[in-house]
């Protein structure tokens, strides 16, 4: 049974710091992994999608890596800004037409 | 702006009442989904559709029905609301399964 864990549940950092968010999954037979951000009272915004054949994906200050063998993905945020404050969720496919979401890491970037 | 639009944004229902949540997307996506988000539980799939006229059950379908009469619309119905259905409901769409999801901003439903 797939389990997706994100630790820590909450994280506060000063502005400008580089940070890493972690996502662990128990079933490595996945064909991709996605990272989303969710702002309070809003829906989810897709950030990055990593295919199983890739080891990382980059978009601006965000870099996500995937290590299927260890069941881990990390989301690296460079030079954090207050606007990065949000909850970050990772998700893996759960059969066809479904995603299994972690419960997220709530990030606060302090000005 | 292109995207997924959900109506209403907030609703309070009494136990036993019925309602329909509307989801509309203008990206010509084939796939549409309804999720619910509860504290400590993450998002869970209620129903989904892989194209106009098709629907299928997700993880937690009991107490809900859906319809996809038009490609751009996906309706979620609660026939007899229960307090356990108090949640935030998100609609999403994608061009293909499990790729490139776009989410709506959610409907916060309270059943009293």
């Amino acid at each position: 049974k797939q389990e997706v864990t994100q630790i820590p549940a909450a994280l506060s950092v000063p502005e400008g710091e580089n940070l890493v968010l972690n996502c662990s999954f128990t079933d490595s037979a996945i064909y991709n992994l996605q990272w989303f951000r969710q702002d309070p009272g809003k829906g989810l915004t897709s950030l990055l999608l990593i295919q199983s054949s890739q080891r990382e994906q980059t978009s601006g200050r965000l870099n996500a890596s995937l290590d299927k063998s260890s069941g881990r993905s990390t989301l690296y945020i460079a030079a954090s800004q207050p606007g990065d404050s949000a909850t970050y969720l990772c998700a893996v496919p759960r059969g066809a037409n479904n995603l299994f979401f972690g419960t997220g890491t709530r990030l606060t970037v302090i000005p | 702006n292109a995207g997924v639009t959900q109506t209403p944004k907030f609703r309070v229902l009494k136990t036993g009442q019925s309602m329909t949540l509307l989801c509309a997307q203008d990206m010509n996506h084939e796939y549409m989904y309804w999720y619910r988000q509860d504290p400590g539980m993450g998002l869970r799939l209620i129903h989904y559709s892989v194209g106009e006229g098709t629907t299928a059950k997700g993880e937690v379908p009991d107490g809900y029905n859906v319809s996809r009469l038009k490609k751009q619309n996906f309706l979620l119905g609660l026939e007899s609301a229960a307090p356990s259905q108090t949640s935030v409901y998100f609609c999403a769409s994608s061009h293909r399964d499990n790729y490139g999801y776009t989410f709506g901003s959610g409907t916060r439903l309270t059943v009293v």
Side-chain angles (χ1 to χ4, degrees):
Chain A
K1 178 185 174 183
Q2 179 72 275
E3 292 185 10
V4 180
T5 305
Q6 293 184 248
I7 295 174
L11 178 66
S12 292
V13 300
E15 181 177 2
E17 194 163 293
N18 302 324
L19 61 101
V20 174
L21 305 180
N22 297 299
C23 172
S24 299
F25 47 92
T26 54
D27 184 352
S28 62
I30 60 172
Y31 55 89
N32 66 44
L33 183 143
Q34 302 186 54
W35 283 93
F36 296 84
R37 72 173 273 168
Q38 183 175 23
D39 294 283
K42 301 287 181 60
L44 281 69
T45 301
S46 180
L47 296 174
L48 290 164
L49 183 152
I50 313 175
Q51 306 279 11
S52 60
S53 58
Q54 301 171 317
R55 293 194 63 84
E56 61 180 60
Q57 276 281 2
T58 297
S59 176
R61 294 182 294 106
L62 306 180
N63 176 278
S65 67
L66 175 63
D67 184 344
K68 287 180 57 178
S69 62
S70 66
R72 293 188 60 188
S73 176
T74 60
L75 179 66
Y76 174 82
I77 302 177
S80 58
Q81 303 171 358
D84 295 330
S85 297
T87 296
Y88 290 81
L89 301 141
C90 63
V92 299
R94 185 176 191 170
N97 305 304
N98 193 7
L99 290 178
F100 196 107
F101 288 85
T103 51
T105 295
R106 187 173 69 253
L107 172 66
T108 303
V109 180
I110 304 165
Chain B
N1 292 332
V4 176
T5 303
Q6 292 184 232
T7 54
K9 296 189 184 304
F10 303 94
R11 185 73 185 268
V12 178
L13 284 181
K14 293 183 179 179
T15 298
Q17 286 185 320
S18 64
M19 77 164 295
T20 300
L21 283 66
L22 173 63
C23 176
Q25 54 97 1
D26 57 6
M27 297 167 288
N28 203 35
H29 283 170
E30 289 293 332
Y31 294 77
M32 296 188 76
Y33 317 83
W34 276 106
Y35 283 88
R36 60 178 289 174
Q37 186 176 36
D38 302 289
M41 303 279 294
L43 284 95
R44 293 178 292 168
L45 182 66
I46 305 170
H47 285 281
Y48 65 94
S49 167
V50 300
E52 180 178 320
T54 74
T55 63
K57 295 180 180 179
E59 299 171 62
V60 288
D62 294 342
Y64 306 95
N65 57 75
V66 288
S67 64
R68 182 119 182 250
L69 299 179
K70 294 183 179 181
K71 185 177 183 179
Q72 64 267 35
N73 296 336
F74 195 29
L75 305 180
L76 177 71
L78 286 73
E79 291 187 347
S80 179
S84 61
Q85 294 178 303
T86 294
S87 186
V88 181
Y89 291 85
F90 288 101
C91 177
S93 69
S94 68
H95 189 55
R96 21 190 299 227
D97 64 340
N98 290 332
Y99 283 79
Y101 279 62
T102 300
F103 278 80
S105 59
T107 295
R108 185 173 296 275
L109 175 67
T110 302
V111 182
V112 297

